[in-house]
Amino acid sequence: MTDTTSSEPAPIEIPEGVWSQPEVDMSAIEEIASVESVRSVRAFASLTYDYTPGLATTRFLRAIKEKRLVGERCSETGKVYVPPRGVSPVSGMPTTEQVDLGLDGTVVSFCVVNLDFTGNAQEIPYVSALILVDGSDIPIYGLVREIPYNEVQPGLRLKSVWVEDSEMTTSFENIKWWAPNGEPDVPASELADYV
Amino acid sequence: MGAERVAVVGVGQTKYTAVRGDVSLPGLLREATFRALEDAQMTLADIDAIVIGKAPDFFEGIMVPEYSFVEALGAVGKPIFRVHTAGSVSGSTAIVASGLIESGVHERVLTIGWEMQSCSEAMWALSFNMPFQQQLVAGAGGYFAPYIRQYIARSNAPDDTGVLVALKDRQNALKNPYAHLHEHDISYESVKESLMLWDPIRYSETCPSSDGAIALILTNEAGGDAASAEGRPPAWVHGTSFRSEPAMAAGRDQVSPQAGKDCAADVYRQAGITNPREQIDVVEMYVPFSWYEPMWLENLGFAEEGTGWQLTHDGVTAMDGDLPINCSGGVLSTNPIGASGMIRFGEAALQVRGMAGEHQIDGARTALGHAYGGAAQFYAMWVVGADKP
Amino acid sequence: MRDVAIIATAQTKHVRSATTVNEVELIQPVIQEVIERSGVARHDFDFTCSGSSDYLAGQPFSFVMTLDAVGAWPPISESHVEMDGAWALYEAWVKIQTGHADTALVYSYGKSSPGDLPRVLSRMTDPYYEAPLWPTSVDIAALQARAAIQAGVTSEQAMADIAYRSRTSAAANPFAQLTTSAQPLALMDEEYLADPLRRHDCAPVTDGGVAIVLAAGDKARSLCSRPAWIRGIDHRADGHHLNFRDLTTSPSVRIAAEKAGVANGPIEIAELHTCFTHHEPILRSALGLADDVEVNPSGGPLAANPMMAAGLIRMVEVANRIHSGDVSRGVAHATGGHALQHNLIAVLEGEG
Amino acid sequence: MPEEATTSGEEDVLRAPLVLEYPFKRTTGPVIGAFLTALREGRFIGIEDDQGKVLCPPVEYDPASGASLTKLVPVGSEGEVLFWSWNQSVRDGQPLDHPFAWAMVKLDGADTPMMHAVDAPHEVMVTGLRVRAKFAEERIGSMDDLLCFEPVS
C-alpha cells in the first residue's frame, strides 16, 4: 500500500561541489516530462510480532501484578537489579536469586519536563526522576507527583502510588507515579554510587 | 604490529537538511561518495572494499538497506560490510574501515555513514512501545537530563554553560556550508529564552533531525604518500579505539562513564599523546545536548573533573580559543544519526589536512574525532594528524 | 598475515520456537560455555564482536541488551554487525590482523519465531520497486530455483535428494532441529509450497545462537590441542536486483573462494549456508568442489537455520571436525541477503 | 517452511502482540520519480546504459560499474515471462488477493526484466508467456498503479 504525498519537498541549496545527482534526459519521453513529476512516495509497512519478554521479566511482572517489586541479585557482586533481565551485566552470569524490594525509593536525580511525552494529559511541567527503589542497586525512571516540581531534590524519599487493585495487570503501568513519603531526605553522599 | 599506516585522502559530505527531497536513498549515498572520490582523485573502480554504518534499520523501514545499494555504489564483486553500534556507529564504522587497511587486507577502502531521518520520525524509530517494557515518559532528552543535572550539581557549573555551547556551535555552523542549521539570527538571548524542554536542557540546546551522508576514502601509506606528493595532504590516522560498557551496570558513572575514559586513554596511548590539552589542536566531539561539551572535556582528559565548564566560559573551546571544539557546528547543528559519528571523524581529518574551509583552524596538526551512543555506553574515537605517525 | 584459529565453539540446541527466553537469556549459556571451553578468562578477551538483526527482534538496538551476557565490565573493546555472525568473526579476524588483539569472543543469535520470517525478510528488498509488493524470502528463492532449473543447474529431483541427505545427516547432530526425512521419491509427491519449491526445499524457521573464540599464533596453540586455523577468509557481494543478476551462478562466491585459497589444497568437507536446496549446486559449482566432497555433514541450514547465526555455525561445524581430528581441511560458507547476494568463504585447516 | 514445535514447556511466559506500523516517506530522486510518473500516466519507461541496453525499471546507475545513467526512454506495456514461481499462500500487501505467479517480465523494448505479479491460472504459467500490464483505474504515481500483468489472449 503506497500513496504519494502532496507536500512538495522544499528546494535546497547544494554547496559548490564536484558531484550532485545529474539531470536526467527526458527528451525521449516528452509526454512524461510535460506532466508534474512524482517526488516522493509513502510506503506503508506493517509487521506483527508475537513478543515474549523472557523469564526474568515475566517473573518481575507477575510479581508487580501482586503489588510487589522483585529484583534479582548478581551472584558475583551481590548487586540487585530491577527490573531484572535475567543476566547480570557485570558478571555475565544468570541472576537466579530473587529479592523482594521495598515499595519506597529515593530520588537520585531528575529533570523537569515541559512537553507532554506521555501521550496523556499530564500537568506540565512534570518531573521525571531516577529513583532508587529500596533494596535495589540500579535506579529506574518514574514520574514524581504530589509535590511542586521546583521542590524535588536528590535524596527526596518517595512512595510508589499504584492503580486500584482491580486494575492491576502484569505491567509497569501499575505504578501510576511516585510521591513524597514524608521521611527525611537521604544525604547526597549515600547516593554517590548511583548515577 | 599495526602493520600498515592509514591515511584519509578523501572526504565527501552531502548538504545536510531536514528533508533531502531531491535525491533517492542511493542517490544520497552516491552524492557523498562521488565527492569523496573526487577529493581523493579516484573512481569507484579504485575502491577495494566498502564499509557502511547507520542507525537502526527502522529509521528508513528497510532491512539491511546497504544490500540494495550495492550496484549504486559500484560494489558488485567487492566486499561490503555493515556496522551497527548505536549512536557511535559511524565512528565505529570508520574504525572498521581503518582496520582493513592497517591489517594489510585492503589498500583503498570507502566508508560511508548515512541516515535519512525524514523517512520516519526519530521518536518512532528509536522507542517503540514494546510490550512489557516501561514506556518513556520524558522522550530522549529525558533520559540524559538527570545526568546533566547531576553534572551541574557535582561541578557547580553556571547554568548558562549549555547556552554558551549551543550558541558557539550554531555560530560555527554558519561557516560550514554543509551544516543543517544555519541560524543567522541566533543570540545568547534567543538560546536562553528557548523553551526549557527537559530542565536543564533547552530546545536550542538539542540536536536537530537531519538527512545526510558522509563518505571517507582511506588508503595505506603508499596511497597517503602519493596524495601528499600531488599536493593533496592526507590526514594520517594516529590511533583508533572503541569501548563499550553495559547500560545497566550497577555503580556505573553515567556523568563520566568509564568506557569513555578508557577509550580516550587507549587512543591517546596509540597516538603518543600524554597531555591532550597541549597536544591536541582541535576536537570534533559528539555533543547532541549542549551540556555534553563540558562533560566530555572532563571525560576525555582535557580538564580536571568538575572544571570542564570553565573552558567553555573562558572561550577556550571557541574557534579562536586554544582548544576549538566543533568548528563544523557539531551534532547540535547537524544530526543524521547514522552519519554523525563519521562526520566528527571526517571533520577532524579536514582540519589536519587544512581543508576545512571557513571553519579551518590555522595550523591544526593533531585532531580528535569522538563519537558516543546508547546510554552513554558506546564510544569510538580516532586521532588524526598532519604528520605521518 | 598472522595465524588465527578458532579454538573453542558452542551453540544452542536449535528449536522452532524458544518462546520462554528473550535474546539475552537465549545466548547467555552459549557465551558462558564457550568462555569456559576456551580457557580465556571472561574479562581477558582483547576484542568482542557480535552479529544480529533488529528486524528479526522487532526492536531497535536489540543487540544492546544482549551485551549483558558478555559481562562487559570493566569496559571492553567491542563492535556489532547487522549481518550474520560470520561477518562478526571476519571483523574480529581483521582486528587480530591489525595487532590490536590476540584473542576475540564472537557470537550471534537469531530469534525468528516472533515474526512471520518470510514476510519480515521482504523488508530486505529494493525499497522502491520490490518492497511495496511484499515478496517473501520464499517467493524470491522460488524465482531463483526456477531460473536454476531452467538453466539445468539442478532439478526438483536433485533438490529432493539434497533435502533427504541433509536431514538424515542431521540425525548425528545433537543441536539440529530437523533430523528426519521421507525418502526423496516420497518428497517429490508432496505439494508445492511455492512452485518449484516444496516444503522440504526450504530451511526451517529456527531460534538459536552460537559463539566462538579466536586466538592468534602461540596463544591459540597453548589453549587448544588442535586449533582450526583460518588459512583464508574473504567475502564479496553480488548485485541486489534480481533483474540485473544471473541467478544461476554465484560470481561473488567464485571471487571469495579464490581469495580465500579454496583450491590451494584438497577440501575434505564443506559446510555451506544453503537456506534452500537449490543453493547447494550453485555453491558447489562456484566453489569448484569435487563431486566427492562431503557437503553439510551437520545437516546444514536445512536442518537448523537460526538467522544471523547459521553462517557462523558453518564455521563452527568445520572447526569442530578439525578440533576432533576427523578432517584436516574444510571450507565454510556464509551468506546474507536474498538469493545468495553476499557471500563469505573461509578455509579452515588443522596443523600438519 | 517445515513446522516443528519444539518449544520447551518448562515455564509459561508472558506474550503479547507487537505491531510495527509506519507510513515511511521515500523521496524518489529524478529517475525513480520519472518511472512512477510514467506509471501514473499508464506507461513504462526505462533508462539506457552506455551500451544502449535499456534497464526497466530504471535505476540511476550502471549496475555493473556504478556510473551515472541519465537517458530515459519509453518501454512497451507488453512483454515476456523469463522465469516465474507460484505464490499459493498470498500475504498482506502483495499485489493480488488470490494465488498468483511471481514473474520476471521483460517488457518490449527493455533488456532487463522486472519482478511483478502475473494474474493467471497456475497451469497457464510457462516461461515465455506473453503478458500485458494491467493498470489501476485511479493512479497516483506509485507502484500500486501497476496492479499486475495478465496473459495476452
Side-chain angles (χ1 to χ4, degrees):
Chain A
M1 271 209 320
T2 58
D3 70 73
T4 47
T5 50
S6 50
S7 62
E8 192 72 355
I12 62 151
E13 266 181 57
I14 307 289
E16 282 301 309
V18 289
W19 193 89
S20 59
Q21 198 147 351
E23 287 281 311
V24 293
D25 172 1
M26 299 179 82
S27 57
I29 52 163
E30 275 172 14
E31 69 281 11
I32 305 302
S34 60
V35 297
E36 196 195 342
S37 292
V38 173
R39 301 279 301 269
S40 67
V41 290
R42 283 272 177 195
F44 181 79
S46 174
L47 292 169
T48 302
Y49 296 78
D50 176 13
Y51 183 80
T52 57
L55 294 165
T57 304
T58 295
R59 289 192 289 265
F60 172 78
L61 292 174
R62 292 239 158 96
I64 211 171
K65 191 178 178 186
E66 298 165 1
K67 204 169 179 174
R68 293 188 297 125
L69 290 172
V70 175
E72 298 197 359
R73 191 186 303 280
C74 169
S75 56
E76 237 171 59
T77 63
K79 298 291 186 188
V80 174
Y81 284 91
V82 65
R85 298 194 292 183
V87 174
S88 159
V90 169
S91 70
M93 300 297 277
T95 50
T96 47
E97 185 196 346
Q98 281 130 63
V99 181
D100 272 310
L101 308 175
L103 298 181
D104 289 3
T106 306
V107 172
V108 172
S109 191
F110 67 98
C111 71
V112 181
V113 187
N114 285 296
L115 261 187
D116 179 19
F117 288 94
T118 65
N120 47 41
Q122 289 284 342
E123 64 223 43
I124 289 178
Y126 60 94
V127 172
S128 170
L130 281 166
I131 299 162
L132 189 68
V133 177
D134 292 355
S136 76
D137 290 296
I138 187 112
I140 61 172
Y141 284 89
L143 291 173
V144 178
R145 299 179 69 172
E146 302 178 25
I147 176 174
Y149 71 91
N150 52 9
E151 290 177 19
V152 175
Q153 283 302 328
L156 178 70
R157 291 285 293 155
L158 300 169
K159 63 182 178 193
S160 47
V161 179
W162 295 64
V163 300
E164 295 298 317
D165 285 356
S166 59
E167 294 169 24
M168 297 274 271
T169 59
T170 50
S171 161
F172 281 91
E173 317 286 309
N174 288 354
I175 298 178
K176 290 194 289 185
W177 59 75
W178 299 73
N181 70 359
E183 293 174 10
D185 284 3
V186 173
S189 59
E190 288 178 29
L191 296 171
D193 284 346
Y194 297 106
V195 164
Chain B
M1 298 221 222
E4 186 63 60
R5 292 189 172 98
V6 182
V8 184
V9 299
V11 178
Q13 302 184 65
T14 63
K15 167 63 187 168
Y16 304 111
T17 183
V19 185
R20 274 305 301 265
D22 58 326
V23 292
S24 66
L25 289 157
L28 185 79
L29 277 76
R30 285 164 63 80
E31 184 175 315
T33 297
F34 280 79
R35 286 179 184 218
L37 288 168
E38 182 70 23
D39 185 8
Q41 291 292 293
M42 290 185 195
T43 67
L44 284 173
D46 296 318
I47 297 299
D48 298 330
I50 298 176
V51 185
I52 299 183
K54 72 175 296 300
D57 291 353
F58 294 110
F59 263 114
E60 291 81 12
I62 310 165
M63 187 177 181
V64 284
E66 56 279 1
Y67 279 155
S68 68
F69 302 157
V70 162
E71 293 101 330
L73 298 172
V76 174
K78 294 179 182 177
I80 186 163
F81 202 89
R82 163 71 185 283
V83 180
H84 181 24
T85 63
S88 59
V89 59
S90 56
S92 306
T93 305
I95 292 175
V96 172
S98 176
L100 286 172
I101 290 165
E102 194 180 354
S103 61
V105 172
H106 293 301
E107 294 180 3
R108 292 169 301 272
V109 176
L110 164 66
T111 184
I112 305 170
W114 72 281
E115 204 70 69
M116 206 139 180
Q117 290 192 221
S118 65
C119 288
S120 67
E121 296 162 76
M123 274 295 279
W124 180 83
L126 296 179
S127 53
F128 301 144
N129 287 338
M130 297 293 292
F132 309 118
Q133 292 185 17
Q134 195 175 15
Q135 310 305 332
L136 274 178
V137 295
Y143 182 89
F144 294 103
Y147 299 109
I148 291 171
R149 182 175 289 267
Q150 191 69 17
Y151 169 75
I152 295 169
R154 283 189 201 177
S155 66
N156 289 313
D159 63 7
D160 67 349
T161 305
V163 175
L164 294 176
V165 173
L167 179 65
K168 166 181 70 77
D169 284 5
R170 295 266 166 90
Q171 284 180 331
N172 289 351
L174 296 172
K175 300 179 194 297
N176 175 4
Y178 297 102
H180 174 176
L181 297 182
H182 282 156
E183 297 182 337
H184 295 276
D185 299 333
I186 194 165
S187 66
Y188 177 91
E189 290 71 28
S190 72
V191 177
K192 191 157 191 181
E193 283 158 19
S194 68
L195 179 64
M196 188 64 94
L197 281 181
W198 301 281
D199 192 350
I201 305 175
R202 293 172 181 83
Y203 173 74
S204 291
E205 299 177 62
T206 66
C207 53
S209 276
S210 313
D211 286 353
I214 177 167
L216 308 180
I217 312 285
L218 309 183
T219 67
N220 59 8
E221 182 171 5
D225 287 343
S228 192
E230 290 167 19
R232 291 178 289 110
W236 295 97
V237 177
H238 288 220
T240 64
S241 184
F242 29 57
R243 283 292 183 281
S244 309
E245 68 184 45
M248 300 294 175
R252 76 179 276 251
D253 181 355
Q254 292 219 49
V255 174
S256 188
Q258 189 63 39
K261 292 179 184 173
D262 291 358
C263 192
D266 186 36
V267 79
Y268 294 160
R269 179 187 54 73
Q270 292 172 43
I273 288 170
T274 50
N275 183 344
R277 178 83 163 78
E278 291 296 318
Q279 290 169 270
I280 292 175
D281 301 319
V282 57
V283 180
E284 280 285 333
M285 188 186 272
Y286 203 104
V287 179
F289 301 106
S290 59
W291 278 95
Y292 272 91
E293 176 176 298
M295 290 164 72
W296 294 143
L297 279 167
E298 297 170 25
N299 189 248
L300 294 171
F302 292 108
E304 293 294 317
E305 241 169 64
T307 67
W309 59 268
Q310 292 172 9
L311 302 191
T312 301
H313 279 265
D314 293 348
V316 171
T317 62
M319 286 278 296
D320 58 358
D322 71 15
L323 185 67
I325 293 179
N326 292 337
C327 304
S328 65
V331 179
L332 282 171
S333 305
T334 302
N335 188 34
I337 294 182
S340 287
M342 199 182 294
I343 296 171
R344 309 281 72 71
F345 282 35
E347 286 284 350
L350 286 173
Q351 288 288 347
V352 300
R353 296 171 75 202
M355 294 175 69
E358 271 192 73
H359 61 283
Q360 176 69 42
I361 297 302
D362 282 343
R365 305 293 294 173
T366 306
L368 172 68
H370 161 270
Y372 86 102
Q377 65 188 120
F378 298 105
Y379 295 84
M381 302 179 197
W382 80 5
V383 171
V384 286
D387 301 315
K388 199 186 281 191
Chain C
M1 291 287 134
R2 302 179 77 194
D3 289 335
V4 178
I6 297 174
I7 62 160
T9 71
Q11 58 183 308
T12 56
K13 164 81 175 124
H14 303 296
V15 298
R16 172 63 182 83
S17 179
T19 325
T20 56
V21 289
N22 61 20
E23 278 86 350
V24 66
E25 291 165 336
L26 175 79
I27 196 66
Q28 189 280 334
V30 175
I31 291 174
Q32 189 181 333
E33 189 179 341
V34 85
I35 289 172
E36 284 165 5
R37 282 191 186 159
S38 72
V40 180
R42 180 180 286 270
H43 300 294
D44 285 350
F45 287 98
D46 299 324
F47 185 59
T48 299
C49 198
S50 61
S52 69
S53 161
D54 281 351
Y55 253 96
L56 281 193
Q59 189 170 10
F61 303 120
S62 57
F63 60 90
V64 173
M65 180 175 78
T66 327
L67 186 61
D68 285 359
V70 173
W73 189 266
I76 60 171
S77 177
E78 186 261 351
S79 182
H80 172 265
V81 300
E82 194 79 354
M83 295 187 283
D84 187 282
W87 278 269
L89 178 145
Y90 183 84
E91 184 178 333
W93 176 82
V94 171
K95 182 64 95 178
I96 293 175
Q97 295 301 338
T98 64
H100 292 303
D102 291 329
T103 55
L105 170 65
V106 177
Y107 62 95
S108 68
Y109 55 91
K111 261 189 88 177
S112 299
S113 61
D116 174 359
L117 181 65
R119 180 173 163 84
V120 170
L121 296 177
S122 78
R123 299 303 85 199
M124 205 160 53
T125 55
D126 180 282
Y128 295 100
Y129 292 144
E130 295 171 352
L133 310 177
W134 294 85
T136 68
S137 51
V138 176
D139 294 330
I140 291 166
L143 282 169
Q144 185 184 30
R146 176 82 64 197
I149 291 167
Q150 279 182 195
V153 170
T154 190
S155 67
E156 293 180 33
Q157 180 66 59
M159 288 155 61
D161 290 344
I162 289 165
Y164 173 77
R165 195 203 70 230
S166 298
R167 300 224 165 97
T168 49
S169 297
N173 176 358
F175 306 105
Q177 174 186 353
L178 302 179
T179 56
T180 59
S181 170
Q183 291 291 329
L185 277 178
L187 293 177
M188 291 291 289
D189 286 339
E190 298 285 326
E191 292 203 353
Y192 287 114
L193 180 72
D195 181 5
L197 297 178
R198 295 178 176 83
R199 193 166 289 276
H200 62 255
D201 292 311
C202 308
V205 175
T206 308
D207 291 350
V210 60
I212 63 121
V213 171
L214 290 182
D218 289 341
K219 186 102 188 175
R221 291 181 193 97
S222 72
L223 291 166
C224 180
S225 59
R226 191 175 148 85
W229 299 103
I230 300 173
R231 290 295 184 223
I233 185 166
D234 193 81
H235 69 101
R236 301 279 151 171
D238 284 314
H240 175 80
H241 298 87
L242 304 185
N243 22 345
F244 305 139
R245 286 175 62 190
D246 176 355
L247 296 170
T248 68
T249 65
S250 181
S252 59
V253 167
R254 219 175 284 276
I255 300 169
E258 192 198 320
K259 299 277 181 190
V262 171
N264 295 349
I267 293 291
E268 293 162 57
I269 62 161
E271 281 282 344
L272 308 181
H273 195 169
T274 51
C275 298
F276 298 92
T277 49
H278 66 271
H279 287 172
E280 185 175 310
I282 294 171
L283 291 169
R284 259 187 185 276
S285 160
L287 285 163
L289 297 182
D291 288 345
D292 60 350
V293 172
E294 193 182 0
V295 168
N296 289 347
S298 69
L302 290 166
N305 182 38
M307 292 290 298
M308 318 318 282
L312 184 55
I313 290 170
R314 307 282 64 78
M315 300 205 172
V316 164
E317 292 295 344
V318 176
N320 287 350
R321 274 156 207 271
I322 288 170
H323 290 158
S324 68
D326 291 348
V327 303
S328 296
R329 192 164 188 270
V331 61
H333 159 260
T335 197
H338 287 299
L340 296 171
Q341 188 192 346
H342 189 198
N343 296 287
L344 180 144
I345 303 292
V347 174
L348 302 181
E349 289 181 8
E351 218 140 26
Chain D
M1 304 259 137
E3 300 294 339
E4 180 121 325
T6 46
T7 304
S8 55
E10 54 190 65
E11 199 171 333
D12 199 18
V13 290
L14 297 172
R15 56 208 298 169
L18 165 64
V19 181
L20 302 185
E21 239 171 17
Y22 201 86
F24 293 97
K25 183 177 176 180
R26 307 215 184 288
T27 54
T28 60
V31 171
I32 298 162
F35 179 78
L36 296 176
T37 305
L39 285 189
R40 194 185 63 208
E41 304 301 314
R43 299 165 185 268
F44 290 97
I45 59 160
I47 200 160
E48 221 173 76
D49 73 8
D50 295 342
Q51 278 79 50
K53 252 175 63 179
V54 174
L55 318 177
C56 176
V59 288
E60 296 159 1
Y61 43 80
D62 183 302
S65 69
S68 297
L69 301 180
T70 56
K71 173 84 176 145
L72 294 168
V73 294
V75 167
S77 297
E78 285 187 18
E80 176 187 338
V81 171
L82 296 192
F83 52 97
W84 60 280
S85 66
W86 188 253
N87 184 19
Q88 185 63 40
S89 29
V90 175
R91 284 175 159 86
D92 277 357
Q94 294 183 338
L96 297 164
D97 59 6
H98 52 269
F100 63 89
W102 291 105
M104 299 301 289
V105 176
K106 186 158 74 86
L107 291 170
D108 298 343
D111 294 285
T112 59
M114 67 181 291
M115 179 170 61
H116 214 283
V118 173
D119 191 5
H122 193 173
E123 60 274 14
V124 168
M125 284 311 300
V126 60
T127 291
L129 184 72
R130 291 284 301 170
V131 294
R132 177 188 297 136
K134 181 179 179 187
F135 288 98
E137 284 184 13
E138 282 190 34
R139 299 189 294 274
I140 55 170
S142 85
M143 282 302 284
D144 287 348
D145 293 351
L146 174 59
L147 294 177
C148 61
F149 289 92
E150 291 177 327
V152 176
S153 46

